Amino acid sequence: MRIGLITPEPGHPLLAAATALLTPAHQVQTLDPRTVEKVPGALADVYLLKSRTPRALALARDLERRGAPVVNSAAATALCQDRTAMAHKARRAGLPFAATRTFATLAQLASGPPLPGPVVVKSRHSRRNDLVARLDSDVQLRELAAAHPLEPVVVQEFAPNSGWDHKLWAVGDGLFAALRRSELFPGGRGPSLPLAPEDLPPGWPALVRRVGEVFTLDVYGVDIIDTGDGAPLIVDINAFPGVRGQSGAPEALVALALDRSASEADPPAGGGLQRPGDFRVAH
């Protein structure tokens, strides 16, 4: 089979390991969206979209229009970049997603009523090195607005928690997990700590699966904080994250790519990829 990688970084650990597993039995082709606008000739059996730039999304949309399967789809990837749309979709689906308000600019937020209490301010559009900050006072808000007056933002009330983010990743039928200090933690994030999926609070794996169903994602990350007694609060969803250092993740990505290729070539009677109800827990 032929597998295409839409990425400017084919050496990313997850992609590089998956490529090593796929070759030489299968052909892997890298499409750098910075230089490739259209794929001439025959298409690959499946494309893995590991980029969120406008050029990468345009390339993925063109491939989809021509009938090629893309994981994740361009539409699902784009949706996860807009935190306003993400929150709206998640809460309409009944997911425990943080209540989110949107402001056209930080200057608009700063010119409004005083903060009701501690809040988390994030760039509306998710991207590398975007804005994420906890604000405890209007003085902090004015300082932040002075530095980024035109930044579109979303605002979420700060939910008391342990200071640790539960980083949960789904790769096809594989579930992976780690603990990482919140980026709001005063001492910085530090390294990720191992977390076995079977040690997650009850219901969390099913919640991650539900996120994938709602957002039509096959490779994705869900950031969850424990607000007490295992009560989950989703604070972010990412399409095709790095999943670095997770044993079994490259194998899960290979299985997904080959399964999607086979499913598209010979779709099941019900139409579309048939996904089981539970994750295969990775060790």
Side-chain angles (χ1 to χ4, degrees), residues 5 10 13-24 26 28-30 250 253-254:
L5 306 180
L14 177 63
L15 297 181
T19 297
L21 292 170
L22 285 163
T23 54
H26 306 279
V28 179
Q29 175 189 20
T30 298
L253 184 59
V254 167

Side-chain angles (χ1 to χ4, degrees), residues 166-169 208 211 220-224 234 236-238:
H166 291 74
K167 309 288 289 187
L168 306 182
W169 300 283
V208 176
V211 169
Y220 57 100
V222 184
D223 292 351
I224 300 179
I234 300 173
D236 212 353
I237 300 168
N238 301 287

Side-chain angles (χ1 to χ4, degrees), residues 61-271:
R61 291 189 185 101
D62 180 67
L63 291 167
E64 290 170 339
R65 282 194 294 267
R66 295 169 63 189
V70 179
V71 178
N72 301 291
S73 71
T77 301
L79 175 60
C80 290
Q81 290 183 268
D82 185 339
R83 288 190 169 108
T84 297
M86 178 196 303
H88 180 69
K89 188 173 186 68
R91 290 177 68 85
R92 281 195 63 184
L95 296 172
F97 198 95
T100 301
R101 295 179 295 150
T102 302
F103 293 85
T105 64
L106 253 176
Q108 180 193 58
L109 174 61
S111 66
L115 295 178
V119 299
V120 178
V121 174
K122 303 177 181 179
S123 296
R124 172 174 178 171
H125 302 290
S126 175
R127 61 189 187 277
R128 186 172 296 182
N129 299 319
D130 59 0
L131 174 66
V132 179
R134 172 178 170 173
L135 301 179
D136 294 287
S137 69
D138 294 303
V139 172
Q140 291 177 320
L141 172 57
R142 287 192 293 270
E143 291 174 350
L144 191 66
H148 309 275
L150 300 181
E151 180 75 18
V153 294
V154 298
V155 179
Q156 301 168 343
E157 289 187 15
F158 176 77
N161 62 89
S162 65
W164 292 92
D165 286 345
H166 291 74
K167 309 288 289 187
L168 306 182
W169 300 283
V171 183
D173 296 327
L175 176 63
F176 308 87
L179 283 172
R180 186 182 299 168
R181 277 293 185 188
S182 167
E183 53 196 319
L184 306 174
F185 187 69
R189 304 204 73 164
S192 296
L193 300 180
L195 176 63
E198 57 265 28
D199 292 336
L200 292 168
W204 285 30
L207 174 60
V208 176
R209 169 65 76 200
R210 178 62 180 152
V211 169
E213 293 171 348
V214 169
F215 285 84
T216 62
L217 294 165
D218 287 297
V219 184
Y220 57 100
V222 184
D223 292 351
I224 300 179
I225 58 175
D226 186 341
T227 58
D229 298 324
L233 183 68
I234 300 173
V235 294
D236 212 353
I237 300 168
N238 301 287
F240 218 127
V243 202
R244 295 174 183 267
Q246 295 294 311
S247 176
E251 289 81 359
L253 184 59
V254 167
L256 171 64
L258 298 179
D259 188 35
R260 178 55 62 86
S261 299
S263 296
E264 292 294 332
D266 185 19

